[in-house]
Every structure is written in structure tokens, then in C-alpha cells.
Amino acid sequence: MDRQGRASCVVARAVRWLLIVGLGLLASGCAMLAPSPPQDQSNICEIFREQPEWYDYARDAQEQWGTPIATQMAFVQRESSFRSHVRPPRKRILGIFPGPRSSSARGYAQAQDPVWGEYQDDAGSLFARRTHMQDATDFIGWYNARTHRQLGISLHNPEHLYLAYHEGAGGYRRGSYRNKPRVRQAARQVGTLASRYQSQLAACEAEFRCRRFYQVWPFCRG
């Protein structure tokens, strides 16, 4: 290889390295700009006081798809603990080297690549992001509405909605969760948390409905 060829290879490697570093910095920067997880995740009123926009997003998803706000937030808490960029840990090769992740799940709702693609094709924008709460709540609403159509599970049954969310419609029909005690336990916890959130929200929702200067009673949403 002549001198010009070697120089071209060096430049190409440098460009690739800069692209990799740039993408890494961009990803970490987005994660740093994301909201911190709420301090008190056991109380939906405190969650919305820290992040009032989340109430707006969940309310919009409820109106669009029918899943109650409390159920949406219980799903997010269970899936990601309100961490926007969380992903499954990487497997270790020989106990040392980082290997592939166990799944493509990511974001607030831990949506995996195939079903996220279905959501974007069917209802979401191509610019929807799993790391944005507005898109995550809309995704959960869309998914549960589809579960209701396919399986007949009530939108007010968070425990079984979560079983179908975790196992998929086919897995739920086959009863795959019956041999998975951890999944059943997680679903029960989601049901309990959704019920608690619902009771809490009944006592504080009014402060989020009409908090903006243009949301004046009786014109703000009931």
C-alpha cells in the first residue's frame, strides 16, 4: 500500500472513531437531560407534583385508548422505575467480556423493537421515542387497547393486562404465565400499585387538571 493509501486508511479510522465517540456522547447527553426518577414512587400525587407534564401525557393516553392513568403509571413504575434510558443488562462472556443484551427492551415502558415498530406503524409517529414519557404512556395505552380487542381483558383489570403485556397475546392465550411465579407476582404487584395510585389520584387530580393559566374552570378538562 502506498503512502496515500495508508493516509486514507488512517483518516477513515479516525472518522469512524469520531462518529462512535460522538454518538456515545449524544446518547449520554440525552440521558443526562432526562428527568430524574421521582423520589417517592409509592405516591402518584408526588410523582405528578415532580413531573406535572406526565399527568397531561397520561390523561391524553387515557382519553385516546381507555387505560386509566393509575394503571399506566403502575406499568411504568414496574417496567423501568421511571428511568428513561434503562435497558436490560448485558450478558457476560466468560464472566468478563460484555455480550449481547437479553432483549431489545428500552425506555420507560421497556418496549421491544418488534412491537415498538408495530406501534409506530399503527398509531405512533416515526419520531416517537421510548425514552419520552408522552410516547411511553401512549404506547401502553395502545398496547392495552389491542389486548382488550384481542383477548377481551378489561381495561380496568391491571393484573391481567400486565400478564398480557409481559407474555404477549399468544403467550397469554397459552397460559405461559402460569408456570412463571415471578411474572404472576409482578402482575399482582402492578394490580396493587394501580389500585393505590387510583385512590391517591382521586384526592389530588384536581390540582393537575387546571394548573395552567389558560385552564380555567369550567373550561379545563373534567
Side-chain angles (χ1 to χ4, degrees), residues 65 116-128 135 138 142:
W65 304 109
W116 184 257
E118 292 175 27
Y119 162 70
Q120 288 184 305
D121 291 341
D122 187 44
S125 165
L126 291 176
F127 301 102
D135 299 318
D138 193 66
W142 168 82

Side-chain angles (χ1 to χ4, degrees), residues 6-85:
R6 287 195 298 272
S8 298
C9 289
V10 170
V11 170
R13 284 196 294 269
V15 169
R16 284 198 297 270
W17 183 82
L18 288 172
L19 285 173
I20 292 170
V21 171
L23 290 172
L25 290 173
L26 179 61
S28 62
C30 291
M32 290 175 63
L33 293 173
S36 300
Q39 294 184 356
D40 184 1
Q41 298 187 12
S42 67
N43 191 316
I44 198 171
C45 300
E46 295 304 320
I47 291 170
F48 288 151
R49 284 172 186 140
E50 286 192 39
Q51 301 294 338
E53 294 85 2
W54 290 2
Y55 170 81
D56 295 335
Y57 301 152
R59 182 62 183 260
D60 288 343
Q62 176 182 268
E63 293 177 351
Q64 176 71 21
W65 304 109
T67 295
I69 294 171
T71 298
Q72 297 174 47
M73 290 293 104
F75 271 47
V76 174
Q77 199 286 325
R78 179 66 205 184
E79 290 297 286
S80 66
S81 297
F82 299 100
R83 293 173 294 167
S84 61
H85 285 72

